[in-house]
Amino acid sequence: MKIFRGFHYRGIAPACALTIGNFDGVHRGHQAMLALLRNEAQHRGVESCVMSFEPHPRDYFAQATGKPEIAPARIGTLRDKLTELARCGVNQTIVLPFRAALASQSPESFIQDVLVAGLNVRYVLVGDDFRFGAKRAGDYAMLAAAGSAMGFEVARMNSYEVSLPDPAAQGGRRSVRVSSSAVREALGQGRMDDAARLLGRPYSISGHVVRGRQLGRELGFRTINMRFSHWKPAASGIFVVGVHGLAEQPLAGVANLGVRPSLDPNDVNGGRVLLETHCLDWPASLGPEGGYGKIVRVELLHKLHDELKYDSLDALTTGINRDCDDARAWLAAGHAQTRRQTTRDRI
């Protein structure tokens, strides 16, 4: 998959079938839309293309208006999003920087300058709640009318739903519209099974392993650390995880996703959100420095509890030992394999 930061670059397809959105999480609704996009692109003999935005538009407006509370929790990093889009078979992705100029661009200008002159769209597929342009003034009807006048086809995809357990009815189920908001809600409540069903895969975060304070090594719990690029992750707390990319087989572990309240907020990580993972069995072949610089993917399989603030390093050590024991017990019960099989069965 080709990736472009904007659309004024050589190498962009001369014409395309396009879908537009934030695609946070690339969940099963997104996946269904991308499958349809690929088919329509192939039918027309053009490339399939996704247009997304960074930062998320609501992040931009949260900063511009001084209202951080309106920023959405982020499901995945930009790396994760691009990885999943590539896995869905998209030919190219255009990441538009969402800044003041784009935020103030009229719907009519967006259609003419970006879709027509910039990308030469032949087909545009959008969701049932699609809005665009300054003050979200553009909608499906405006886009469809412009397509009829300018020679490109516009289609709309209806909501995609999945069946989830209903907590209000023992043994019952409920139909849920798949959306990034639904995924955020499941992750925020620690419902990792539901998040996996909405995503079509276990929830994971990927990135480079970076050096941290190395306190874990001093306490006897070697960790691999990845920075989460957004200040507001959709999930937080202590998790049973599977680590991919360090060894031939996934490594079981315990991870802390958050700000580590027991540590000095002015430590080497600068108060940033960190995914700090302790592998229950560290491969001897890696050596003590073997993880640094690698790109790894950490699947968050089961939430043990929220982050806790410990009063001392001894209390922290006791807490980590307890989390490791609980993780081993959960894994020994076969939950991880059951979860992966259940997710595959429902895709």
Side-chain angles (χ1 to χ4, degrees):
M1 182 180 75
K2 295 180 179 179
I3 302 168
F4 301 93
R5 290 270 189 169
F7 54 90
H8 298 292
Y9 293 96
R10 292 180 61 184
I12 289 181
C16 69
L18 177 73
T19 188
I20 307 168
N22 293 302
F23 291 92
D24 191 17
V26 193
H27 53 61
R28 291 177 68 180
H30 293 143
Q31 293 161 30
M33 177 176 282
L34 295 171
L36 175 58
L37 181 74
R38 288 199 317 271
N39 288 338
E40 295 294 338
Q42 186 175 15
H43 175 69
R44 290 166 173 77
V46 297
E47 300 282 86
S48 60
C49 179
V50 167
M51 178 182 291
S52 192
F53 308 96
E54 190 67 28
H56 192 294
R58 283 165 58 193
D59 280 336
Y60 168 82
F61 289 114
Q63 183 175 13
T65 60
K67 298 178 179 179
E69 68 276 5
I70 70 173
R74 185 65 67 90
I75 298 169
T77 63
L78 179 59
R79 174 193 295 276
D80 292 324
K81 174 163 62 177
L82 294 173
T83 297
E84 292 303 324
L85 290 174
R87 188 171 295 157
C88 288
V90 174
N91 295 130
Q92 67 180 24
T93 293
I94 294 171
V95 181
L96 286 187
F98 199 90
R99 300 174 182 145
L102 186 58
S104 61
Q105 188 174 32
S106 70
E108 294 83 1
S109 174
F110 181 82
I111 294 170
Q112 178 58 52
D113 298 343
V114 179
L115 301 187
V116 177
L119 294 174
N120 189 24
V121 295
R122 302 290 178 78
Y123 172 87
V124 180
L125 176 65
V126 296
D128 55 4
D129 56 354
F130 179 69
R131 308 287 297 200
F132 68 103
K135 299 182 179 179
R136 293 170 54 85
D139 58 12
Y140 175 79
M142 177 187 291
L143 187 61
S148 296
M150 299 181 184
F152 61 89
E153 186 179 348
V154 180
R156 176 168 51 188
M157 186 163 179
N158 293 327
S159 299
Y160 188 94
E161 296 187 347
V162 298
S163 176
L164 297 181
D166 187 352
Q170 187 173 3
R173 303 190 69 82
R174 59 195 172 104
S175 184
V176 175
R177 177 181 180 270
V178 180
S179 66
S180 295
S181 295
V183 177
R184 292 185 189 107
E185 180 180 282
L187 292 174
Q189 295 175 1
R191 295 185 286 111
M192 308 310 289
D193 280 335
D194 287 354
R197 292 186 181 101
L198 292 163
L199 291 167
R201 63 188 185 277
Y203 176 61
S204 65
I205 298 170
S206 66
H208 282 94
V209 177
V210 300
R211 291 187 181 272
R213 184 176 171 180
Q214 297 191 332
L215 178 62
R217 183 178 303 191
E218 296 174 17
L219 298 177
F221 300 96
R222 181 191 310 277
T223 60
I224 57 170
N225 304 326
M226 295 189 306
R227 294 193 179 101
F228 192 85
S229 56
H230 195 263
W231 61 274
K232 192 177 180 181
S236 65
I238 313 301
F239 298 86
V240 183
V241 301
V243 182
H244 299 252
L246 285 177
E248 291 184 4
Q249 298 297 322
L251 301 176
V254 177
N256 185 124
L257 175 59
V259 296
R260 304 162 313 287
S262 298
L263 303 183
D264 179 1
N266 297 314
D267 69 6
V268 68
N269 294 300
R272 294 177 64 178
V273 174
L274 197 72
L275 178 60
E276 196 172 35
T277 303
H278 169 63
C279 295
L280 296 175
D281 295 297
W282 183 261
S285 59
L286 282 174
E289 309 293 319
Y292 294 125
K294 290 183 180 294
I295 296 178
V296 301
R297 178 171 58 87
V298 179
E299 289 184 349
L300 279 62
L301 301 173
H302 172 67
K303 184 169 181 177
L304 294 172
H305 56 79
D306 290 333
E307 284 193 289
L308 301 174
K309 182 173 177 60
Y310 295 99
D311 295 331
S312 66
L313 291 181
D314 286 343
L316 174 60
T317 301
T318 300
I320 296 173
N321 272 314
R322 183 170 54 248
D323 293 338
C324 290
D325 290 342
D326 291 344
R328 287 189 176 94
W330 187 86
L331 292 164
H335 292 297
Q337 182 60 36
T338 300
R339 166 143 327 146
R340 290 191 177 94
Q341 185 62 52
T342 300
T343 301
R344 285 195 297 267
D345 291 345
R346 292 178 179 274
I347 295 176

